[in-house]
Amino acid sequence: MKLLSALAAASRTLRRPARRFRHVFRGAALIVTLCIAESLLYGHVHSIPRPAEDLDAPFSTQCQDPRVAAAQPRENAVLVMLARNSEKDEARDTIANIEAQFNQWFHYPVLFLNNEPWDPEFVRALNRTVSGPAMFEVIPQEDWSYPSWIDPEAAQQSMARQQQSGVWNGGKESYHHMCRFYSGTFYTLPALQPYKYYWRLEPGVRYTCAITYDPFTAMAAHNKTYGFTTALWEEPLTCPSLFRAVDAFRRAHHLPTTPSWNALLTTPSHSPIPSPWHWYPLRRLRAALHTPHHGASGDRWNLCHYWSNFEIADLDFFRGGAYQALFRHLDAHGGFYHERWGDAPVHSLAVHLLLPAARRHHFADFGYHHEPFFQCPGNAAGGQLRGAGVFDDDGNGNGEGWSEERAGAIGCRCRCLDRRKRNNRGICLEAMQAPAARTRMGLWERWRGWYPYSIGIPAEGGWG
């Protein structure tokens, strides 16, 4: 009997760890199931529904007779270039290029801005290059210096640390001033007050296709507020707390999470089984730890933004109360100096927070190059106005030097830098255009990396 009792006791002892393991396993399985279910719900709440139709078609899909558009009333618009005196040659090359490709027909004014007094030789050289009025303004000192609540010494120490950490342009004081200026005070300049639209130019930029219609009148006719060409990832080290600051503004003003806002988030919507990084406990932990690029609820910015060295936009939006309130909120945060917040991600987060998808426009028909990135739409088949007597400015009316014409291309007399590509990698462009896109990639195209050139325009050799 004693032996049987001992054997029974030993058996019970051996079964206890197994029962405990089953309980632990079941508990863990329940937690994992709940986390996956919550992540799927999170992905659903932050999903981006397809609109009933594509909301952003190109304004033009081939050459037009620019004389027809130039005979129509103009919009109240201006081309704007921020330049240093030392950039005279680069500025002149860019202006000569935009004159040849566009402004020789439309003669819009060009406003040149400098934070220092203009060199008379710069003024003479650019006055000779611009076909319309040219204006040369000096930025007020208060718009190109530290605001009163920023300690310059502390800011300079932060910049020194940024430079040591490898932050792009993090150690350049003037670059920080420029980013703050373009993020907010630029729009309040007296020289810009007479205008409704602006087109931002940069020294060294090149337009590689003819622009034979008026983009300002097209923006107005289609009720567009913000126009862009290139979208890409931001350098992560430049702005670790920017998204949290913008998201705090959103929450404080009770702004909803719209499809446009969700397009900037990293969500599990494209994964059949959500990654553990999307599980609620880890999201909350990252939020509590102020993890870079995360909001207070654990939402993560995907770092996508529009490259703002090209913009055509409605000044009334940026001068308006909502945007200026957001800028003041960010300015008070101090991130333009204690980090290196760029105007490009500030503009991008703002337009996705404050504008519906239909108000943004991809200038997919523009050929644009700003080292090292570019887009070029290729030449539309049969749409180059050969022999029409319209173009005689470059001696290449017979097509010499043009990229080949091909089906699906939409450009006018383009000379693409790389004939194998029409854009840099389209990952961010596809993500940011998703709220306006009825036509979208499938899992096969995504796996193959066939990102579309723009909404409804497939990648080279890609889907469609």
Side-chain angles (χ1 to χ4, degrees):
M1 289 295 294
K2 289 183 178 179
L3 179 60
L4 291 175
S5 298
L7 289 173
S11 176
R12 286 194 298 271
T13 302
L14 289 172
R15 286 199 301 268
R16 283 188 198 118
R19 283 198 299 269
R20 281 198 293 268
F21 176 78
R22 284 197 299 271
H23 291 320
V24 170
F25 178 79
R26 288 170 182 168
L30 177 61
I31 291 172
V32 169
T33 301
L34 290 174
C35 285
I36 292 175
E38 191 279 335
S39 295
L40 291 171
L41 177 62
Y42 174 81
H44 174 73
V45 169
H46 292 85
S47 65
I48 303 170
R50 293 176 187 259
E53 59 183 1
D54 289 335
L55 303 178
D56 188 27
F59 291 154
S60 177
T61 56
Q62 60 182 23
C63 292
Q64 303 177 29
D65 188 335
R67 297 168 299 189
V68 174
Q72 304 303 311
R74 304 280 195 278
E75 285 297 323
N76 196 13
V78 62
L79 282 63
V80 183
M81 177 184 283
L82 176 66
R84 295 185 290 264
N85 288 315
S86 60
E87 295 175 308
K88 180 190 67 176
D89 292 341
E90 295 93 333
R92 182 173 53 195
D93 289 347
T94 293
I95 294 300
N97 169 258
I98 199 67
E99 287 288 337
Q101 301 285 39
F102 167 73
N103 211 34
Q104 62 164 314
W105 301 296
F106 297 93
H107 308 302
Y108 275 104
V110 181
L111 172 64
F112 295 94
L113 298 173
N114 194 344
N115 66 301
E116 298 177 346
W118 284 106
D119 180 345
E121 181 54 35
F122 186 107
V123 174
R124 280 193 293 271
L126 273 299
N127 259 325
R128 288 195 295 265
T129 310
V130 176
S131 65
M135 301 161 286
F136 300 84
E137 295 286 337
V138 177
I139 298 167
Q141 181 63 32
E142 61 270 20
D143 291 337
W144 199 274
S145 57
Y146 298 104
S148 59
W149 54 89
I150 294 293
D151 179 351
E153 184 176 348
Q156 289 161 8
Q157 291 172 355
S158 294
M159 293 176 206
R161 289 192 293 270
Q162 292 170 45
Q163 184 173 7
Q164 291 169 0
S165 300
V167 175
W168 181 258
N169 286 327
K172 297 180 180 179
E173 181 182 70
S174 185
Y175 197 89
H176 289 262
H177 289 322
M178 181 196 71
C179 290
R180 176 177 179 263
F181 169 70
Y182 261 138
S183 293
T185 57
F186 165 74
Y187 300 105
T188 63
L189 286 176
L192 280 177
Q193 297 315 300
Y195 301 104
K196 178 172 174 58
Y197 292 98
Y198 74 100
W199 180 340
R200 178 168 162 181
L201 304 174
E202 295 278 340
V205 157
R206 188 154 67 94
Y207 290 82
T208 57
C209 303
I211 302 165
T212 55
Y213 66 96
D214 187 334
F216 299 117
T217 59
M219 291 280 284
H222 292 86
N223 195 28
K224 300 291 185 178
T225 298
Y226 186 82
F228 58 91
T229 54
T230 307
L232 64 159
W233 289 298
E234 177 60 304
E235 292 285 340
L237 294 178
T238 63
C239 54
S241 70
L242 173 60
F243 178 76
R244 189 179 187 92
V246 176
D247 191 52
F249 177 87
R250 181 189 68 80
R251 295 161 69 91
H253 290 79
H254 308 291
L255 299 174
T257 54
T258 63
S260 287
W261 179 253
N262 292 339
L264 297 179
L265 303 182
T266 301
T267 67
S269 23
H270 294 307
S271 306
I273 299 177
S275 161
W277 289 109
H278 291 115
W279 293 0
Y280 179 79
L282 287 178
R283 294 205 313 271
R284 298 304 303 178
L285 178 62
R286 292 197 300 269
L289 294 176
H290 286 212
T291 306
H293 314 302
H294 286 74
S297 63
D299 294 341
R300 185 185 185 278
W301 175 32
N302 58 20
L303 293 175
C304 288
H305 70 296
Y306 304 118
W307 219 24
S308 62
N309 45 58
F310 171 91
E311 291 178 327
I312 297 179
D314 187 337
L315 284 161
D316 289 343
F317 168 75
F318 287 104
R319 289 190 290 234
Y323 180 83
Q324 286 296 315
L326 173 59
F327 169 69
R328 289 192 297 271
H329 168 81
L330 297 178
D331 205 17
H333 189 283
F336 290 111
Y337 295 100
H338 293 294
E339 296 178 13
R340 206 238 67 197
W341 292 356
D343 55 278
V346 170
H347 292 183
S348 303
L349 288 163
V351 298
H352 274 255
L353 176 63
L354 301 173
L355 288 176
R359 300 282 294 279
R360 298 187 299 272
H361 178 65
H362 179 211
F363 280 95
D365 55 308
F366 279 24
Y368 179 75
H369 176 225
H370 189 296
E371 187 67 31
F373 300 111
F374 70 94
Q375 77 165 23
C376 197
N379 285 319
Q384 304 305 306
L385 293 183
R386 296 175 184 271
V390 176
F391 303 94
D392 57 3
D393 55 300
D394 58 6
N396 287 323
N398 61 357
E400 180 183 348
W402 296 352
S403 299
E404 64 276 12
E405 297 180 20
R406 58 182 183 270
I410 60 173
C412 173
R413 301 187 170 222
C414 300
R415 294 179 176 85
C416 299
L417 301 172
D418 186 340
R419 299 188 182 198
R420 298 168 300 171
K421 300 178 182 177
R422 293 196 296 191
N423 207 345
N424 61 292
R425 292 188 71 196
I427 297 173
C428 277
L429 188 64
E430 188 266 342
M432 298 174 83
Q433 284 190 295
R438 174 71 182 173
T439 307
R440 295 186 183 174
M441 300 174 69
L443 290 177
W444 171 251
E445 291 80 22
R446 193 176 299 279
W447 183 75
R448 292 294 301 270
W450 287 344
Y451 287 90
Y453 172 70
S454 191
I455 292 175
I457 306 176
E460 196 69 14
W463 61 284

Short mmCIF file of all heavy atoms in Angstrom, two decimals, residues 29-59:
data_model
loop_
_atom_site.label_atom_id
_atom_site.label_comp_id
_atom_site.label_asym_id
_atom_site.label_seq_id
_atom_site.Cartn_x
_atom_site.Cartn_y
_atom_site.Cartn_z
N ALA A 29 -1.65 31.96 -25.04
CA ALA A 29 -2.38 31.90 -26.31
C ALA A 29 -3.54 32.88 -26.33
O ALA A 29 -3.81 33.53 -27.36
CB ALA A 29 -2.88 30.48 -26.55
N LEU A 30 -4.21 33.01 -25.19
CA LEU A 30 -5.31 33.97 -25.10
C LEU A 30 -4.81 35.40 -25.28
O LEU A 30 -5.40 36.20 -26.01
CB LEU A 30 -6.03 33.82 -23.76
CG LEU A 30 -7.18 34.81 -23.50
CD1 LEU A 30 -8.28 34.64 -24.55
CD2 LEU A 30 -7.74 34.64 -22.08
N ILE A 31 -3.68 35.72 -24.63
CA ILE A 31 -3.11 37.07 -24.74
C ILE A 31 -2.70 37.36 -26.19
O ILE A 31 -2.99 38.43 -26.74
CB ILE A 31 -1.91 37.22 -23.79
CG1 ILE A 31 -2.39 37.22 -22.34
CG2 ILE A 31 -1.15 38.51 -24.08
CD1 ILE A 31 -1.27 37.17 -21.32
N VAL A 32 -2.03 36.39 -26.82
CA VAL A 32 -1.60 36.58 -28.20
C VAL A 32 -2.82 36.74 -29.11
O VAL A 32 -2.84 37.62 -30.00
CB VAL A 32 -0.73 35.39 -28.66
CG1 VAL A 32 -0.49 35.44 -30.17
CG2 VAL A 32 0.61 35.41 -27.93
N THR A 33 -3.85 35.93 -28.89
CA THR A 33 -5.07 36.04 -29.71
C THR A 33 -5.72 37.41 -29.55
O THR A 33 -6.13 38.03 -30.54
CB THR A 33 -6.07 34.94 -29.31
OG1 THR A 33 -5.46 33.66 -29.51
CG2 THR A 33 -7.33 35.02 -30.15
N LEU A 34 -5.79 37.88 -28.31
CA LEU A 34 -6.37 39.21 -28.08
C LEU A 34 -5.52 40.30 -28.73
O LEU A 34 -6.07 41.26 -29.30
CB LEU A 34 -6.50 39.46 -26.57
CG LEU A 34 -7.56 38.62 -25.85
CD1 LEU A 34 -7.48 38.85 -24.34
CD2 LEU A 34 -8.96 38.95 -26.36
N CYS A 35 -4.19 40.15 -28.64
CA CYS A 35 -3.32 41.15 -29.25
C CYS A 35 -3.49 41.18 -30.77
O CYS A 35 -3.55 42.25 -31.38
CB CYS A 35 -1.86 40.88 -28.88
SG CYS A 35 -1.41 41.33 -27.19
N ILE A 36 -3.56 39.98 -31.39
CA ILE A 36 -3.75 39.92 -32.84
C ILE A 36 -5.11 40.51 -33.23
O ILE A 36 -5.22 41.29 -34.18
CB ILE A 36 -3.62 38.47 -33.33
CG1 ILE A 36 -2.17 38.00 -33.19
CG2 ILE A 36 -4.08 38.35 -34.78
CD1 ILE A 36 -1.96 36.54 -33.55
N ALA A 37 -6.13 40.14 -32.44
CA ALA A 37 -7.47 40.67 -32.74
C ALA A 37 -7.49 42.19 -32.62
O ALA A 37 -8.05 42.90 -33.47
CB ALA A 37 -8.50 40.04 -31.81
N GLU A 38 -6.86 42.71 -31.55
CA GLU A 38 -6.83 44.17 -31.37
C GLU A 38 -6.03 44.83 -32.49
O GLU A 38 -6.40 45.90 -32.98
CB GLU A 38 -6.23 44.51 -30.01
CG GLU A 38 -6.38 45.97 -29.59
CD GLU A 38 -5.36 46.90 -30.21
OE1 GLU A 38 -4.26 46.43 -30.58
OE2 GLU A 38 -5.65 48.11 -30.31
N SER A 39 -4.93 44.18 -32.93
CA SER A 39 -4.13 44.74 -34.02
C SER A 39 -4.92 44.77 -35.32
O SER A 39 -4.82 45.73 -36.09
CB SER A 39 -2.84 43.93 -34.20
OG SER A 39 -2.02 44.03 -33.07
N LEU A 40 -5.70 43.72 -35.55
CA LEU A 40 -6.54 43.71 -36.75
C LEU A 40 -7.58 44.81 -36.69
O LEU A 40 -7.87 45.49 -37.69
CB LEU A 40 -7.21 42.35 -36.92
CG LEU A 40 -6.27 41.19 -37.27
CD1 LEU A 40 -7.01 39.85 -37.19
CD2 LEU A 40 -5.67 41.39 -38.65
N LEU A 41 -8.16 45.01 -35.49
CA LEU A 41 -9.11 46.10 -35.32
C LEU A 41 -8.43 47.45 -35.52
O LEU A 41 -8.97 48.35 -36.18
CB LEU A 41 -9.75 46.03 -33.93
CG LEU A 41 -10.74 47.15 -33.58
CD1 LEU A 41 -11.93 47.13 -34.54
CD2 LEU A 41 -11.21 47.03 -32.13
N TYR A 42 -7.22 47.58 -34.96
CA TYR A 42 -6.44 48.81 -35.14
C TYR A 42 -6.17 49.07 -36.62
O TYR A 42 -6.32 50.20 -37.11
CB TYR A 42 -5.12 48.67 -34.37
CG TYR A 42 -4.14 49.80 -34.57
CD1 TYR A 42 -4.26 50.99 -33.86
CD2 TYR A 42 -3.07 49.67 -35.46
CE1 TYR A 42 -3.34 52.02 -34.04
CE2 TYR A 42 -2.15 50.69 -35.65
CZ TYR A 42 -2.30 51.86 -34.93
OH TYR A 42 -1.39 52.88 -35.12
N GLY A 43 -5.78 48.02 -37.35
CA GLY A 43 -5.56 48.17 -38.78
C GLY A 43 -6.82 48.56 -39.52
O GLY A 43 -6.79 49.37 -40.45
N HIS A 44 -7.97 47.99 -39.10
CA HIS A 44 -9.24 48.33 -39.75
C HIS A 44 -9.62 49.79 -39.49
O HIS A 44 -10.03 50.50 -40.40
CB HIS A 44 -10.34 47.39 -39.25
CG HIS A 44 -11.70 47.75 -39.76
ND1 HIS A 44 -12.08 47.53 -41.07
CD2 HIS A 44 -12.77 48.34 -39.15
CE1 HIS A 44 -13.32 47.97 -41.25
NE2 HIS A 44 -13.76 48.46 -40.10
N VAL A 45 -9.47 50.23 -38.24
CA VAL A 45 -9.82 51.60 -37.89
C VAL A 45 -8.95 52.59 -38.66
O VAL A 45 -9.40 53.67 -39.04
CB VAL A 45 -9.68 51.81 -36.37
CG1 VAL A 45 -9.77 53.28 -35.99
CG2 VAL A 45 -10.75 51.00 -35.63
N HIS A 46 -7.68 52.22 -38.88
CA HIS A 46 -6.76 53.11 -39.58
C HIS A 46 -6.60 52.74 -41.05
O HIS A 46 -5.63 53.16 -41.68
CB HIS A 46 -5.39 53.09 -38.88
CG HIS A 46 -5.40 53.70 -37.52
ND1 HIS A 46 -5.76 53.01 -36.39
CD2 HIS A 46 -5.11 54.97 -37.11
CE1 HIS A 46 -5.68 53.79 -35.34
NE2 HIS A 46 -5.30 54.98 -35.75
N SER A 47 -7.52 52.00 -41.57
CA SER A 47 -7.44 51.63 -42.99
C SER A 47 -7.80 52.82 -43.86
O SER A 47 -8.33 53.84 -43.39
CB SER A 47 -8.37 50.46 -43.28
OG SER A 47 -9.72 50.83 -43.08
N ILE A 48 -7.52 52.68 -45.13
CA ILE A 48 -7.75 53.76 -46.09
C ILE A 48 -8.73 53.25 -47.14
O ILE A 48 -8.35 52.52 -48.05
CB ILE A 48 -6.43 54.21 -46.74
CG1 ILE A 48 -5.43 54.63 -45.67
CG2 ILE A 48 -6.67 55.34 -47.73
CD1 ILE A 48 -4.03 54.85 -46.18
N PRO A 49 -10.01 53.57 -47.00
CA PRO A 49 -11.00 53.06 -47.96
C PRO A 49 -10.76 53.60 -49.36
O PRO A 49 -10.25 54.71 -49.54
CB PRO A 49 -12.33 53.56 -47.39
CG PRO A 49 -11.97 54.73 -46.53
CD PRO A 49 -10.61 54.45 -45.98
N ARG A 50 -11.11 52.80 -50.34
CA ARG A 50 -10.98 53.25 -51.72
C ARG A 50 -12.07 54.27 -52.02
O ARG A 50 -13.24 54.04 -51.72
CB ARG A 50 -11.13 52.08 -52.69
CG ARG A 50 -10.02 51.06 -52.64
CD ARG A 50 -10.35 49.90 -53.57
NE ARG A 50 -9.40 48.82 -53.42
CZ ARG A 50 -8.39 48.58 -54.25
NH1 ARG A 50 -8.22 49.37 -55.30
NH2 ARG A 50 -7.58 47.56 -54.06
N PRO A 51 -11.72 55.39 -52.64
CA PRO A 51 -12.77 56.31 -53.09
C PRO A 51 -13.54 55.70 -54.25
O PRO A 51 -13.11 54.71 -54.86
CB PRO A 51 -11.98 57.55 -53.52
CG PRO A 51 -10.63 57.03 -53.90
CD PRO A 51 -10.37 55.86 -52.99
N ALA A 52 -14.68 56.28 -54.56
CA ALA A 52 -15.51 55.75 -55.65
C ALA A 52 -14.81 55.86 -57.00
O ALA A 52 -15.10 55.10 -57.93
CB ALA A 52 -16.85 56.49 -55.70
N GLU A 53 -13.88 56.80 -57.13
CA GLU A 53 -13.11 56.97 -58.36
C GLU A 53 -11.77 57.58 -58.00
O GLU A 53 -11.59 58.12 -56.91
CB GLU A 53 -13.86 57.89 -59.33
CG GLU A 53 -14.14 59.26 -58.77
CD GLU A 53 -14.95 60.13 -59.71
OE1 GLU A 53 -15.31 59.65 -60.80
OE2 GLU A 53 -15.22 61.29 -59.36
N ASP A 54 -10.83 57.48 -58.92
CA ASP A 54 -9.54 58.14 -58.71
C ASP A 54 -9.75 59.65 -58.63
O ASP A 54 -10.46 60.24 -59.45
CB ASP A 54 -8.58 57.82 -59.86
CG ASP A 54 -8.10 56.37 -59.83
OD1 ASP A 54 -8.10 55.78 -58.74
OD2 ASP A 54 -7.73 55.84 -60.89
N LEU A 55 -9.11 60.27 -57.63
CA LEU A 55 -9.38 61.68 -57.33
C LEU A 55 -8.30 62.63 -57.83
O LEU A 55 -8.38 63.82 -57.57
CB LEU A 55 -9.53 61.86 -55.81
CG LEU A 55 -10.62 61.01 -55.14
CD1 LEU A 55 -10.61 61.27 -53.63
CD2 LEU A 55 -11.99 61.34 -55.73
N ASP A 56 -7.28 62.11 -58.53
CA ASP A 56 -6.18 63.01 -58.91
C ASP A 56 -5.61 62.61 -60.26
O ASP A 56 -4.53 62.01 -60.34
CB ASP A 56 -5.10 63.01 -57.84
CG ASP A 56 -4.04 64.07 -58.09
OD1 ASP A 56 -4.36 65.09 -58.74
OD2 ASP A 56 -2.89 63.89 -57.65
N ALA A 57 -6.32 62.95 -61.32
CA ALA A 57 -5.81 62.71 -62.67
C ALA A 57 -4.80 63.78 -63.04
O ALA A 57 -4.85 64.91 -62.53
CB ALA A 57 -6.97 62.71 -63.66
N PRO A 58 -3.85 63.49 -63.94
CA PRO A 58 -2.93 64.53 -64.41
C PRO A 58 -3.68 65.67 -65.08
O PRO A 58 -4.72 65.47 -65.71
CB PRO A 58 -2.04 63.78 -65.42
CG PRO A 58 -2.18 62.34 -65.07
CD PRO A 58 -3.57 62.17 -64.53
N PHE A 59 -3.16 66.87 -64.93
CA PHE A 59 -3.76 68.02 -65.60
C PHE A 59 -3.53 67.96 -67.11
O PHE A 59 -4.29 68.54 -67.88
CB PHE A 59 -3.17 69.32 -65.06
CG PHE A 59 -3.56 69.65 -63.64
CD1 PHE A 59 -2.74 70.44 -62.85
CD2 PHE A 59 -4.75 69.19 -63.09
CE1 PHE A 59 -3.10 70.77 -61.56
CE2 PHE A 59 -5.11 69.50 -61.80
CZ PHE A 59 -4.28 70.30 -61.03
#
